[in-house]
DNA sequence: GTAGGGTTAG
C-alpha cells in the first residue's frame, strides 16, 4: 500500500487529482490517531532520541523565539518532546504553505522511528505541491532506507537529481548510507567518488556503508585511506571501524583500534565500549570482552546487551542468563527487544525450547510484534530446538520478510530433514521480491543433495551462475556434494577439477563422493593425490576415507588408514571413525571382533555404533547380535524407528511372529511410523515419483505390464500378484507385502521404458534398498543390458551386467 | 529546522 503510494507520488510533479487533495486532511487525522494507538508499542529509542533532544534543546529555544507564529512553536515543541500525535494535530490545523513546516514534521517522525508515517507526510507534501528543499531529503532518505528497497531508493535519488540537490554534502552523505543499506554499495561508492567536497561524515558514511554491506575489509581500507589523507577520525569513525573488525573477526586489527581508542582517551565512551565488547565477542574472545565489561563502572542497557550477546554467541549459555539476572538486579535495567534477541541463541544451544517460548511469550506480552529481526531469530531458535511447527507459525505470520528470514526458515527445514519443504520454500522465495544470496544456497544445496536428481542439480547450478553468485569454496564444495548425492558423479568431478583454490573440505568432499558411489579405489588415489599436492588431511578426511573403505570393503586399507591417523597425523579417532571401522568389521561378519572392538573403544558407544552392529547382524541374519544391539540402541535412543523396523523384519524372516507383533506394538505405543518408501526417476526433465503406498492410483497399467514381463523374465514368482488376477482391493493388500511392487522396481521399469536404449537408468529412493530388490535389480541390469544406478538413503549402487558396485553388502 | 552513532536475525 505504502510502496505504491510513494512510487506513484514520486512520479507526479503537481497535484492533478482533486479528490486526493481533498482527502489529505482527513488522512492526517487518521494518521494522528494511529500514532496515538501505536505510540506505546514502539520500541523506545531512548539513547538516540534523548541525545538528539538534548542536543537540540538549545536550538529549539532559539527557534521558538524566532518563530512568528505560535503554532510553529507548538509544533516544534511537541515534536522535540516526542508528543507526535499532538504534533500532528497542530500540523493538521496549520497553514502548510512553507517547506520548513513539512521538513520539521518529517524529521520528527523519522527521528522517532515512524518511517512509514514520515513517508506518508512526504507524499502529501508533494500532493500539496510544496517543493522539497535540500533539508527535506536527508530525512526522506533515512525513512526510505528503513522502509523500502533499492527501487524506491533510486526514485528518490532521481528526484534529487531533478531538483538539483545532488551536490549537497548532507544529501550525498545520506545517499551513501541509503544505497549501502539497500544493498547497492557500488552506488554508494559512485556518489562518494563524485563528491566535490567531503567531510568526516562522508568518510564515516562510506566506512559505515561497507560495514552495512558486510564488507569489513573495505571498511578498514577506507578508514586507512581517510587517515592517509589527513582526515581526523571522530568517535563515530572508531565505532564503525570496530564494527568492521568485528565483521571480519579480525582480532588483530580490533586490538590495534583498541590501542588507538586508549591513546585518544576515548575508552570511557559508552558507545565505543559497547562496540568493543561486541567486537571481542564476535572474534570469539569472550574473556577479553568480560574483563573489559567488568571495568565499566556505569553500564547502560546497550553495554549489557553487548555482553549478553557476546556470551550467547560464544555458547556461554549459563552466563548469558546469569548476566540477564544481574542486569536487572544490579543496574535495575529492564530487558529490551535486543536483549530478548540476544538470549535466543543460548536457548538453541541449550535445546531449551521452553525458555525460548517464554521469551517469545514475553515479546508478545510486551507488544513487540511485528519485528523482523526478532521473528527471524525466533525461527532460527525454533528450528534448532526441533519445533518446526512454531518456526512455521512465526514465519507465516510475518508481515515483512527479507532474505535472512527466508534463509532462516529454509535452514530450519533442512536441519530437521524436511528437505522437500525446504525446496518448496526456496521456490516460493524465488517468486517474491527477495533475492537468494550465498547463504540461501549454502542452506538449500544440502536439501537438493538429499532428495534431488541430476537435472534439478544442474538447474540450481545454473541459477547460481545466473544470479552472479561467486562460486567460493564453500558453495563449490556444497555443490560437489550435491552433484555426487544426486547421482551425477561426473559433474561433481568436473566442478572439483575446475576449482582454482581447493581447500581440504573440497578434497574431503570428492573423496566421499567416490566413496558413496562405491569407487573406493578412486577415493584412495584421490587421497594420495591430495597428500602429493601438499594438503594436510583433517579428521573429516579420514571419515571420507574410512567410509569409502567400508563401503567398498577395502579391509586392509581401512585398517591401515585408521592406524595411521594418530601415528602419522596426530589425529585421535573420534566416534565417527570408530563407526566406520565397525561398519568394516560388520561387513566381514566378524561379530566377536566387532563386540570386542566396541568394548575396548576409548569412547562411549552411541546408537550409531550399535546401529552399525545391528545392520551387520541383519546381513548375516544373526538374531542374537541383533537383539543385543537393539537393546543398547533403545537404552540410548527411545525413538529409533530404523532399529524397530530392522528388528521386526529380522523376526519376520525367521517366522518369530510374536516378536514381530511385540516390536510393532512398541512402535505404536511410541508413536513411531515406518517411513513410506518412495523412489524418483527423471524423464525428459520431469521427475516421476513412485511410492510403496496407493500404487494402484498412481501408476499406469503399462508400468505394471512391463514389470510383469520383467519379473517373469528374471524368474521372480509373481503369479500371486498378477495385475489381471485379482480385484484391485485384494491386489493392493497383496502388493503391500510383496517386494515385487516396491517403488524402486516401478521406477526402474518406468526408467527403462522412457529413456533411450543404452542410457543408464538412475533412480533415487528415500530408504535403503531391500535385499530382494537388490537381487532383482542385478538380474534386470543383465537382462536389459542397461546400467541401473540406484541411490538409496546411504549409498549408490551401480548395477551392471548382473553385478553391483557395493559387492552385495550395504546394510 | 539539515547528514553520520554503539547492542539485534541466516
Amino acid at each position: 500500500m505504502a510502496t505504491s503510494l510513494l512510487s506513484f507520488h514520486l512520479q507526479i510533479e503537481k497535484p492533478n487529482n482533486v479528490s486526493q487533495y481533498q482527502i489529505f486532511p482527513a488522512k492526517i487525522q487518521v494518521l494522528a490517531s494511529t500514532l496515538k494507538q501505536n505510540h506505546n508499542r514502539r520500541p523506545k529509542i531512548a539513547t538516540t532520541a534523548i541525545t538528539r533532544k538534548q542536543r537540540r534543546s538549545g536550538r529549539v529555544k532559539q527557534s521558538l523565539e524566532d518563530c512568528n507564529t505560535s503554532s510553529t512553536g507548538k509544533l516544534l515543541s511537541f515534536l522535540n518532546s516526542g508528543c507526535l500525535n499532538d504534533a500532528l494535530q497542530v500540523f493538521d490545523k496549520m497553514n502548510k504553505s512553507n517547506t520548513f513546516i513539512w521538513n520539521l514534521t518529517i524529521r520528527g517522525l523519522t527521528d522517532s522511528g515512524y518511517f512509514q508515517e514520515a513517508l506518508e507526510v512526504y507524499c502529501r507534501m508533494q500532493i500539496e505541491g510544496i517543493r522539497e528543499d535540500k533539508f527535506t531529503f536527508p530525512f526522506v532518505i533515512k525513512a526510505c532506507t528503513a522502509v523500502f528497497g533499492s527501487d524506491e531508493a533510486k526514485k528518490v535519488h532521481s528526484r534529487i537529481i531533478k531538483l538539483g540537490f545532488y551536490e549537497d554534502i548532507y544529501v550525498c552523505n545520506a545517499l551513501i548510507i541509503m544505497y549501502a543499506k539497500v544493498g547497492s554499495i557500488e552506488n554508494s561508492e559512485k556518489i562518494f567518488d563524485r563528491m566535490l567536497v567531503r567531510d568526516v561524515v562522508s568518510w564515516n558514511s562510506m566506512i559505515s556503508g561497507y560495514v552495512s554491506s558486510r564488507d569489513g575489509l573495505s571498511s578498514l581500507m577506507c578508514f586507512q585511506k581517510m587517515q592517509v589523507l589527513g582526515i581526523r577520525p571522530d568517535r563515530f569513525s572508531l565505532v564503525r571501524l570496530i564494527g568492521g573488525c568485528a565483521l571480519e573477526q579480525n582480532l588483530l586489527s580490533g586490538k590495534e583500534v583498541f590501542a588507538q581508542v586508549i591513546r585518544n582517551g576515548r575508552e570511557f565512551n559508552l558507545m565505543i565500549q559497547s562496540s568493543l565488547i561486541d567486537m571481542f565477542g564476535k572474534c570469539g574472545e569472550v574473556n577479553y570482552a568480560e574483563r573489559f565489561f567488568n571495568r565499566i563502572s556505569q553500564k547502560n542497557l546497550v553495554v549489557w546487551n553487548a555482553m549478553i550477546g557476546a556470551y550467547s554467541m560464544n555458547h556461554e549459555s549459563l552466563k548469558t542468563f546469569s548476566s540477564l539476572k544481574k542486569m536487572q538486579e544490579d543496574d535495575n535495567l529492564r530487558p529490551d527487544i535486543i536483549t530478548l534477541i540476544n538470549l535466543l541463541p543460548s536457548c538453541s544451544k541449550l535445546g531449551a525450547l521452553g525458555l525460548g517460548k517464554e521469551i517469545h511469550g514475553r515479546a508478545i506480552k510486551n507488544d513487540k510484534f511485528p519485528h523482523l529481526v526478532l521473528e527471524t531469530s525466533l525461527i532460527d531458535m525454533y528450528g534448532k530446538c526441533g519445533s518446526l511447527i512454531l518456526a512455521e507459525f512465526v514465519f507465516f505470520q510475518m508481515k515483512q520478510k527479507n532474505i535472512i528470514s527466508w534463509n532462516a526458515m529454509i535452514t530450519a527445514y533442512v536441519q530437521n530433514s524436511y528437505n522437500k519443504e525446504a525446496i518448496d520454500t526456496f521456490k516460493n522465495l524465488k517468486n517474491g521480491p527477495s533475492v537468494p544470496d550465498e547463504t540461501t544456497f549454502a542452506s538449500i544445496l544440502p536439501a537438493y543433495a538429499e532428495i534431488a536428481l541430476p537435472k534439478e542439480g544442474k538447474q540450481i547450478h545454473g541459477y547460481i551462475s545466473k544470479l552472479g553468485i561467486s562460486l567460493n569454496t564453500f558453495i563449490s564444495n556444497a555443490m560437489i556434494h550435491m552433484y555426487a548425492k544426486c547421482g551425477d558423479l561426473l559433474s561433481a568431478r568436473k566442478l572439483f577439477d575446475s576449482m582454482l583454490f581447493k581447500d581440504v573440505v573440497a578434497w574431503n568432499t570428492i573423496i566421499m563422493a567416490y566413496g558413496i558411489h562405491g569407487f573406493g579405489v578412486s577415493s584412495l588415489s584421490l587421497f594420495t593425490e591430495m597428500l602429493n599436492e601438499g594438503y594436510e588431511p583433517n579428521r573429516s578426511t579420514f571419515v571420507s576415507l574410512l567410509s569409502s573403505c567400508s563401503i567398498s570393503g577395502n579391509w586392509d586399507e581401512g585398517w591401515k588408514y585408521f592406524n595411521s591417523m594418530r601415528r602419522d597425523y596426530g589425529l585421535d579417532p573420534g566416534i565417527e571413525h570408530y563407526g566406520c571401522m565397525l561398519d568394516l568389521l560388520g561387513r566381514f561378519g566378524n561379530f566377536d571382533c566387532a563386540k570386542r572392538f566396541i568394548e575396548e573403544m576409548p569412547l562411549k558407544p552411541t546408537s550409531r555404533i550399535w546401529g552399525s552392529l545391528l545392520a551387520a547382524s541383519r546381513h548375516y541374519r544373526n538374531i542374537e547380535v541383533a537383539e543385543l544391539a537393539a537393546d543398547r540402541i533403545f537404552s540410548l535412543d527411545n525413538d529409533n524407528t530404523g532399529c524397530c523396523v530392522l528388528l521386526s523384519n529380522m523376526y519376520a524372516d525367521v517366522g518369530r511372529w510374536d516378536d514381530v507383533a511385540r516390536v510393532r506394538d512398541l512402535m505404536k505405543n511410541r508413536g513411531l511410523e515406518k517411513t513410506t518408501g518412495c523412489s524418483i526417476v527423471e524423464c525428459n526433465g520431469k521427475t516421476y515419483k513412485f511410492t510403496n503406498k496407493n500404487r494402484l492410483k498412481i501408476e499406469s497399467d503399462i508400468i505394471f505390464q512391463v514389470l510383469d514381463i520383467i519379473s517373469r523374465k528374471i524368474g521372480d514368482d509373481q503369479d500371486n500378484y498378477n495385475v489381471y488376477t485379482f480385484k484391485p482391493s485384494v491386489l493392493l493388500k497383496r502388493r503391500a507385502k510383496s517386494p515385487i511392487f516396491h517403488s524402486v522396481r516401478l521406477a526402474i521399469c518406468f526408467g527403462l521404458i522412457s529413456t533411450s536404449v543404452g542410457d543408464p537408468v538412475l533412480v533415487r529412493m528415500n530408504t535403503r534398498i531391500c535385499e530382494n530388490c537388490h537381487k532383482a535389480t542385478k538380474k534386470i541390469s543383465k537382462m536389459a543390458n542397461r546400467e541401473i544406478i540406484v541411490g538409496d538413503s546411504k549409498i549408490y549402487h551401480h548395477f551392471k551386467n548382473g553385478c553391483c558396485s557395493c559387492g552385495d553388502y550395504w546394510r
Side-chain angles (χ1 to χ4, degrees):
Chain A
M1 168 85 179
T3 312
S4 58
L5 248 180
L6 187 72
S7 52
F8 171 70
H9 292 310
L10 278 175
Q11 287 162 16
I12 57 168
E13 280 294 305
K14 281 181 182 170
N16 51 7
N17 184 327
V18 176
S19 66
Q20 273 181 347
Y21 183 79
Q22 283 171 337
I23 61 165
F24 166 65
K27 275 267 194 174
I28 283 291
Q29 287 287 3
V30 173
L31 185 65
S33 64
T34 315
L35 282 180
K36 201 168 183 179
Q37 282 166 16
N38 291 342
H39 191 65
N40 294 330
R41 300 197 325 140
R42 290 279 166 171
K44 280 235 178 281
I45 22 181
T47 45
T48 317
I50 288 168
T51 319
R52 286 216 170 118
K53 271 172 223 158
Q54 284 169 344
R55 186 152 40 94
R56 281 189 192 127
S57 57
R59 282 190 223 134
V60 173
K61 202 175 166 196
Q62 185 63 45
S63 309
L64 284 171
E65 283 165 9
D66 292 346
C67 284
N68 295 328
T69 54
S70 61
S71 47
T72 308
K74 262 192 207 163
L75 175 69
L76 201 50
S77 165
F78 282 136
L79 285 171
N80 285 315
S81 58
C83 304
L84 297 173
N85 45 331
D86 294 328
L88 282 171
Q89 271 169 19
V90 173
F91 174 77
D92 197 27
K93 288 174 193 143
M94 283 174 82
N95 169 13
K96 294 175 276 290
S97 58
N98 77 42
T99 306
F100 173 61
I101 307 289
W102 290 87
N103 288 351
L104 270 188
T105 309
I106 296 171
R107 188 205 72 182
L109 291 164
T110 306
D111 277 358
S112 301
Y114 292 99
F115 303 115
Q116 185 91 47
E117 291 82 355
L119 290 173
E120 280 184 34
V121 174
Y122 172 59
C123 288
R124 310 259 148 69
M125 176 181 179
Q126 291 187 301
I127 296 168
E128 291 262 349
I130 310 296
R131 183 58 67 94
E132 308 93 312
D133 63 14
K134 64 176 185 177
F135 298 112
T136 319
F137 283 106
F139 311 123
V140 171
I141 292 168
K142 191 175 176 183
C144 197
T145 310
V147 177
F148 296 114
S150 57
D151 288 348
E152 300 299 331
K154 278 178 190 154
K155 281 177 191 160
V156 174
H157 192 182
S158 310
R159 179 91 180 145
I160 288 166
I161 293 170
K162 196 170 179 184
L163 297 179
F165 299 124
Y166 51 86
E167 282 184 347
D168 182 85
I169 193 163
Y170 291 87
V171 171
C172 286
N173 291 345
L175 282 172
I176 290 171
I177 292 287
M178 176 188 81
Y179 274 121
K181 285 197 174 161
V182 299
S184 310
I185 190 73
E186 314 75 38
N187 283 328
S188 304
E189 284 170 334
K190 265 188 211 160
I191 292 165
F192 182 76
D193 290 342
R194 286 176 194 163
M195 281 172 83
L196 300 174
V197 186
R198 298 184 197 110
D199 62 4
V200 66
V201 180
S202 318
W203 284 92
N204 288 351
S205 303
M206 203 57 233
I207 295 169
S208 197
Y210 285 125
V211 177
S212 298
S213 60
R214 310 196 69 76
D215 182 359
L217 196 65
S218 297
S219 78
L220 302 186
M221 281 161 60
C222 188
F223 180 81
Q224 228 168 19
K225 205 169 155 192
M226 167 186 176
Q227 280 196 308
V228 169
L229 291 173
I231 314 283
R232 201 181 139 78
D234 61 10
R235 65 188 196 284
F236 299 120
S237 328
L238 290 170
V239 162
R240 295 317 274 168
L241 186 65
I242 295 166
C245 297
L247 202 59
E248 291 297 309
Q249 297 186 318
N250 187 338
L251 185 65
L252 197 70
S253 302
K255 283 183 174 169
E256 277 174 28
V257 183
F258 184 35
Q260 193 170 348
V261 164
I262 292 176
R263 272 201 304 276
N264 294 346
R266 295 195 194 270
E267 74 268 33
F268 300 114
N269 180 290
L270 268 177
M271 216 158 73
I272 290 181
Q273 285 167 329
S274 45
S275 310
L276 281 167
I277 291 166
D278 174 62
M279 185 270 293
F280 287 134
K282 285 189 175 134
C283 291
E285 294 287 332
V286 68
N287 292 334
Y288 223 98
E290 191 178 60
R291 281 209 300 277
F292 186 70
F293 172 80
N294 287 335
R295 293 215 312 257
I296 302 172
S297 52
Q298 289 271 306
K299 301 177 184 85
N300 68 0
L301 186 59
V302 180
V303 171
W304 275 102
N305 281 347
M307 192 63 237
I308 289 171
Y311 282 135
S312 202
M313 72 181 86
N314 286 284
H315 319 318
E316 297 265 18
S317 304
L318 298 177
K319 282 191 174 177
T320 308
F321 290 103
S322 62
S323 299
L324 173 72
K325 197 164 168 251
K326 249 176 137 235
M327 175 184 102
Q328 295 177 91
E329 287 173 359
D330 296 2
D331 286 348
N332 201 23
L333 292 166
R334 283 177 61 78
D336 68 354
I337 198 154
I338 294 172
T339 324
L340 299 186
I341 291 165
N342 280 344
L343 292 172
L344 291 172
S346 284
C347 300
S348 313
K349 288 279 148 26
L350 294 170
L353 179 63
L355 216 51
K357 280 187 190 170
E358 223 175 281
I359 293 170
H360 189 175
R362 186 172 177 143
I364 294 171
K365 203 173 147 196
N366 292 334
D367 238 345
K368 299 292 185 196
F369 292 97
H371 190 287
L372 184 61
V373 179
L374 176 64
E375 286 159 328
T376 307
S377 307
L378 282 168
I379 293 168
D380 178 59
M381 181 275 295
Y382 282 131
K384 289 196 172 107
C385 289
S387 182
L388 263 186
I389 292 178
L390 288 172
E392 284 177 333
F393 172 79
V394 176
F395 182 72
F396 291 121
Q397 287 214 331
M398 285 176 85
K399 291 231 168 11
Q400 188 199 348
K401 293 185 184 91
N402 65 5
I403 187 61
I404 305 179
S405 35
W406 281 96
N407 290 348
M409 193 61 236
I410 290 170
T411 306
Y413 281 129
V414 177
Q415 278 168 343
N416 290 279
S417 306
Y418 282 69
N419 297 304
K420 190 186 171 299
E421 287 76 3
I423 292 173
D424 289 344
T425 308
F426 171 65
K427 287 178 180 163
N428 287 338
L429 151 71
K430 287 201 292 182
N431 297 330
S434 295
V435 181
D437 64 4
E438 280 182 22
T439 311
T440 318
F441 291 106
S443 307
I444 199 66
L445 282 169
Y448 274 87
E450 286 310 310
I451 60 167
L453 286 165
K455 180 96 182 175
E456 291 168 286
K458 283 218 162 75
Q459 275 171 352
I460 189 140
H461 188 170
Y463 187 50
I464 292 173
S465 308
K466 190 178 147 199
L467 287 178
I469 286 176
S470 63
L471 288 187
N472 58 28
T473 49
F474 196 81
I475 301 273
S476 297
N477 294 340
M479 208 130 72
I480 293 170
H481 175 73
M482 182 272 295
Y483 271 133
K485 290 277 280 179
C486 288
D488 190 352
L489 189 56
L490 204 69
S491 295
R493 183 56 190 260
K494 243 170 98 179
L495 187 58
F496 174 78
D497 288 338
S498 72
M499 281 173 82
L500 292 175
F501 302 103
K502 296 181 179 74
D503 60 1
V504 66
V505 184
W507 284 97
N508 298 349
T509 312
I510 196 74
I511 291 171
M512 185 62 111
Y514 279 91
I516 59 168
H517 280 270
F519 301 124
V521 177
S522 303
S523 290
L524 295 173
S525 60
L526 275 161
F527 179 64
T528 312
E529 209 180 308
M530 169 186 176
L531 295 180
N532 290 341
E533 292 201 14
Y535 290 90
E536 182 77 13
N538 62 16
R539 301 168 69 84
S540 302
T541 317
F542 284 97
V543 174
S544 297
L545 206 53
L546 299 177
S547 302
S548 180
C549 288
S550 97
I551 293 166
S552 300
N554 292 324
W555 175 272
D556 292 339
E557 285 81 1
W559 285 106
K560 182 179 122 187
Y561 288 119
F562 180 71
N563 291 325
S564 88
M565 270 185 78
R566 186 181 292 130
R567 189 189 58 223
D568 303 330
Y569 302 99
L571 298 167
D572 279 332
I575 197 75
E576 62 280 27
H577 304 101
Y578 283 99
C580 295
M581 296 321 286
L582 204 61
D583 288 341
L584 196 57
L585 278 164
R587 181 183 179 113
F588 286 90
N590 192 340
F591 291 113
D592 288 335
C593 195
K595 283 193 274 187
R596 224 177 29 250
F597 185 75
I598 297 177
E599 278 165 23
E600 290 172 3
M601 251 167 54
L603 302 166
K604 194 172 173 275
T606 57
S607 56
R608 148 78 174 93
I609 296 286
W610 292 112
S612 171
L613 192 67
L614 178 67
S617 68
R618 160 79 164 146
H619 186 77
Y620 287 99
R621 295 184 161 71
N622 187 331
I623 208 135
E624 198 189 318
V625 174
E627 284 179 327
L628 166 85
D631 184 56
R632 298 288 195 281
I633 293 170
F634 288 140
S635 69
L636 293 163
D637 175 7
N638 228 351
D639 301 332
N640 199 311
T641 315
C643 171
C644 290
V645 172
L646 227 144
L647 196 61
S648 151
N649 287 345
M650 283 181 80
Y651 285 136
D653 285 345
V654 292
R656 284 170 59 175
W657 301 112
D658 288 350
D659 288 317
V660 171
R662 188 172 53 83
V663 177
R664 294 212 173 140
D665 279 350
L666 192 110
M667 285 178 75
K668 209 174 158 190
N669 293 338
R670 289 179 184 167
L672 306 179
E673 270 184 48
K674 193 179 165 182
T675 314
T676 304
C678 89
S679 302
I680 49 172
V681 63
E682 232 168 43
C683 175
N684 295 329
K686 261 185 85 177
T687 300
Y688 295 86
K689 184 176 171 183
F690 300 85
T691 64
N692 282 352
K693 260 188 186 172
N694 304 324
R695 276 166 295 185
L696 274 186
K697 286 181 194 162
I698 301 166
E699 287 90 30
S700 66
D701 266 0
I702 183 123
I703 297 169
F704 283 107
Q705 286 166 19
V706 174
L707 185 61
D708 228 28
I709 297 164
I710 288 175
S711 298
R712 218 175 298 129
K713 274 199 166 182
I714 62 168
D716 258 11
D717 174 22
Q718 65 129 27
D719 286 348
N720 288 336
Y721 313 109
N722 192 301
V723 71
Y724 302 112
T725 317
F726 295 100
K727 281 193 282 182
S729 59
V730 178
L731 189 65
L732 191 62
K733 276 185 193 159
R734 286 178 178 254
R735 278 176 176 174
K737 293 188 191 299
S738 167
I740 287 180
F741 297 105
H742 275 173
S743 64
V744 64
R745 297 207 202 184
L746 296 162
I748 289 171
C749 274
F750 183 76
L752 286 172
I753 57 175
S754 53
T755 53
S756 308
V757 175
D759 281 357
V761 171
L762 183 107
V763 173
R764 276 199 90 173
M765 47 193 295
N766 66 339
T767 55
R768 302 230 68 184
I769 187 169
C770 79
E771 198 177 356
N772 203 305
C773 290
H774 193 268
K775 264 188 196 159
T777 312
K778 283 202 295 185
K779 289 181 190 167
I780 298 170
S781 75
K782 190 168 185 181
M783 186 270 295
N785 194 23
R786 297 276 285 270
E787 186 182 5
I788 301 170
I789 305 161
V790 177
D792 72 13
S793 57
K794 288 264 166 62
I795 61 165
Y796 270 87
H797 302 257
H798 291 249
F799 296 94
K800 210 172 182 178
N801 205 21
C803 297
C804 177
S805 58
C806 76
D808 298 342
Y809 186 91
W810 68 94
R811 294 281 171 200

